[in-house]
Amino acid sequence: MTNLTPQITPELVAEHGINKEEYARLLDILGREPSYTELGIFSVMWSEHCSYKSSRYWLKKLPTEGPQVIQGPGENAGIVDLGDDDCAVFKMESHNHPSYIEPYQGAATGVGGIMRDIFTMGARPVANMNALRFGSPAHHKTRHLVAGVVSGIGDYGNCMGVPTIGGETDFDSRYNNNILVNAMCVGLAKKDKIFYCAAHGTGNPVIYVGSKTGRDGIHGATMASAEFAEDSEEKRPTVQVGDPFTEKLLLEACLELMAGDTIIAIQDMGAAGLTSSSVEMADKGGVGFALDLDQIPQRETNMTAYEMLLSESQERMLMVLKPGSEDAAREIFEKWQLDFAIVGETNDTNQLTITHLGEVVADIPVASLADSAPEYQRPYIEPVAPPVISPQEVKAPPAILSALMLMMSSPNLCSKRWIWEQYDHMVMGDTVARPGGDAGVVRIHGTKKGLAITTDVTPRYVTASPYEGGKQAVAEAARNLTAVGARPLAITDCLNFGNPERPHIMGQFVAALKGIGEACEALNFPVVSGNVSLYNETVIDGKTENIPPTPAIGGVGLIEDIDDMCDIAFKDEGDAVILLGPERGWLGQSIYQEVIIGCLEGAPPPVDLELEKKVNALIRTLIRKKLVNAVHDCSGGGLLVTVAEMALAGNKGIEIGPQDKQLPAHALYFGEDQARFICTCKQEDLGKIAMVAQFSQLPTGMIGEVKGDAIVMEGEKPLPLKNLRAAHEIWLPAFMKV
């Protein structure tokens, strides 16, 4: 084989993110020096983004099975059984580095990529979610990044005709130079029409479909596997460019072809493009691939083999078809005005063999790029949680309702309407719970069933105690699904952390995964798909700034009968407002501390998983028996913020009665104890609820009564809802107008 220029040097190898030990391993595998193209292939396939070399050992410890699970991790997306031959296909992915460099295209292609992961498996996307983390509002780039990311998400999803039904957006100065854009998509399929990426059999044609290949996105996978520095803006060429109109055509063409019986395997060309898709298909099928790059549709002239293999141009798929079906498939894709090309064939060599201009430019054992990629058990330091602080140690505000006003108008609790109104959340006509509640809900078309979806994590908890924070992220996702009446089925995760080569960062990762795993096991809420995003740090003037550890959890649940769905809005005058769950007044790492005191101190609230199971089961029972008519998970901001959100949603006030004086008032109202819900019910049903709660050995108590148009509390000046709404709604639009 002729080595291509440039010459392979230690400096070039290092530029490709391959260390000395890995390069020695590469030489041992090949038995010779690699070509330049082969170096590029190993670079992307052994990158952190593609190989998970720092995380694979720990990911294997997560619970991934259950009677509801059809497909766990290892495919494009996870799949759970919804009954009646229906299944939900879902996954969450990160597009952090590209979105910081070019926020519009970075976010847009993140949405496009996650939707391709879904319809690659034969599912029609029915709902999108996102979890966004931006820097301080005072940072000079934050407004620009928010505007670009929101526009990119909205434009791509809206053009595809897929509703974005919820998500979360937070601001924290620790994301100033490394924002997080995590996109989640859920699709629906029939159990007998699921498609996988394993390219079984030899002599089968390999087909390229979709858009032409260009030079955009080259080295996107390796960029996502390294920290940022002052020159991050220069990486703009590595950001892909998306075209949602082409993706819509690709979606419809793929689903049309999938209605027949011609596809053996199919894979989205995502990170590392043609390289990763061909390697994954060949590896899972136990075959070799012979590809001829001269057949690749190209939109730019004189593209090299290296560029074509590493390009991350969007809206492309690789398929293996049954022999003889090529013409029928070509007819479908050409009808949808998409490129279609036969670019290779499967064989029994177990090699990835690439030719270009009549010359073999790469010949690599498939296994060396997949299962045999490096795997590290990196050294780590166990995190030490800060000490528990008592409620009495946290300063009280001059007035409770004044503190509520400040908190409800703060960046992290204010209304995110400005964001979600830019997303079409009603397209397809099956959205039954819009953004702003505990979970979004879409009807499973043509049935009475509903699919509930949420995204959750509390980075301030995870920073203080990765173990408890990991547990809490899973527990809150389950509570949010329960609050709308859904039975939690499974999660997808997006594990955003700093540099795993730093022992304290690796310690955060390990502890968070232990917490996540324990919670998933206890709540029968397995992990079926996900993504790891490491190296989320920036080096500025020699100083390293890491993001807070942010293991975002995407949860999916099933509502058997959509008529049993619940929401957060207060309903009728005179309804009782009750709290289900414990009260300890936990103010450590709370939003109250952050907004009112100006610091974050102490340990985060502990998560009792047995208690979580009990309270979730109780709430679902109460909803199903129609004993409650509004339910809201009690989380960030505590009891009073939860009540305020319910009051605003229903545009009805509350008269809060006298409470337990054993706790300081600010701890009672703003403490963030876990495993709690606020519910409303008819006065005549209070006794029934108390009996059910007592049987479950869960504390319950009446807080007040739905009444009037203000929040009224003994010893406090009443807070009119119109004033609270104005404060709650104004911050984000005002910030984006400046």
Side-chain angles (χ1 to χ4, degrees), residues 148-167:
V149 166
V150 171
S151 294
I153 290 171
D155 287 356
Y156 208 104
N158 294 354
C159 290
M160 283 291 291
V162 178
T164 300
I165 63 169

Side-chain angles (χ1 to χ4, degrees), residues 197-202 278-289 346-351 366-367 371:
C197 73
H200 299 293
T202 60
S278 55
V279 168
E280 288 168 13
M281 294 175 82
D283 178 61
K284 290 209 167 68
V287 298
F289 263 38
T346 63
N347 56 44
D348 61 1
T349 65
N350 296 113
Q351 294 281 120
V366 168
D371 294 338

Side-chain angles (χ1 to χ4, degrees), residues 272-555:
L274 181 60
T275 294
S276 64
S277 56
S278 55
V279 168
E280 288 168 13
M281 294 175 82
D283 178 61
K284 290 209 167 68
V287 298
F289 263 38
L291 300 180
D292 180 3
L293 298 185
D294 297 341
Q295 308 306 314
I296 299 293
Q298 300 164 53
R299 69 166 185 261
E300 300 184 47
T301 58
N302 300 318
M303 289 190 73
T304 65
Y306 182 99
E307 290 171 329
M308 280 187 275
L309 286 165
L310 271 63
S311 167
E312 294 185 6
S313 294
Q314 298 291 285
E315 294 87 37
R316 302 179 300 160
M317 293 278 191
L318 202 63
M319 300 180 178
V320 174
L321 300 182
K322 293 181 178 178
S325 63
E326 297 94 327
D327 290 342
R330 183 191 302 274
E331 184 177 340
I332 290 173
F333 283 93
E334 290 183 350
K335 179 186 76 173
W336 289 98
Q337 301 178 325
L338 295 165
D339 279 290
F340 178 99
I342 301 171
V343 298
E345 188 176 83
T346 63
N347 56 44
D348 61 1
T349 65
N350 296 113
Q351 294 281 120
L352 177 66
T353 307
I354 312 289
T355 58
H356 183 226
L357 302 177
E359 180 181 346
V360 175
V361 294
D363 192 10
I364 305 172
V366 168
S368 69
L369 299 170
D371 294 338
S372 298
E375 179 179 319
Y376 297 115
Q377 291 185 46
R378 298 199 183 275
Y380 64 91
I381 298 171
E382 290 269 5
V384 178
V388 173
I389 58 174
S390 70
Q392 290 77 11
E393 294 177 72
V394 180
K395 184 180 177 182
I400 294 294
L401 293 183
S402 296
L404 175 66
M405 277 282 278
L406 287 172
M407 292 169 66
M408 292 290 285
S409 61
S410 66
N412 289 336
L413 283 182
C414 73
S415 169
K416 303 305 188 298
R417 182 186 299 275
W418 182 90
I419 293 175
W420 58 258
E421 283 192 339
Q422 297 185 52
Y423 308 148
D424 189 339
H425 47 275
M426 298 303 292
V427 66
M428 298 182 83
D430 281 319
T431 303
V432 291
R434 306 181 184 194
D438 280 308
V441 181
V442 290
R443 178 184 285 105
I444 298 175
H445 194 74
T447 76
K448 294 278 286 181
K449 295 183 292 187
L451 200 58
I453 309 159
T454 187
T455 58
D456 281 289
V457 67
T458 308
R460 62 184 189 277
Y461 292 174
V462 191
T463 301
S465 172
Y467 170 70
E468 287 294 342
K471 283 201 297 182
Q472 193 273 342
V474 174
E476 187 172 347
R479 290 199 302 269
N480 283 347
L481 297 173
T482 288
V484 296
R487 173 170 55 90
L489 292 176
I491 72 165
T492 181
D493 56 37
C494 203
L495 306 173
N496 308 275
F497 289 79
N499 184 345
E501 297 170 53
R502 304 184 193 280
H504 74 284
I505 298 295
M506 197 64 208
Q508 291 176 341
F509 183 85
V510 171
L513 255 69
K514 287 181 179 177
I516 289 169
E518 283 188 23
C520 289
E521 191 77 54
L523 301 176
N524 188 26
F525 204 24
V527 184
V528 297
S529 61
N531 167 243
V532 178
S533 175
L534 302 177
Y535 294 94
N536 288 290
E537 64 176 34
T538 304
V539 180
I540 298 178
D541 297 329
K543 182 182 177 182
T544 301
E545 298 179 5
N546 284 288
I547 64 159
T550 313
I553 302 297

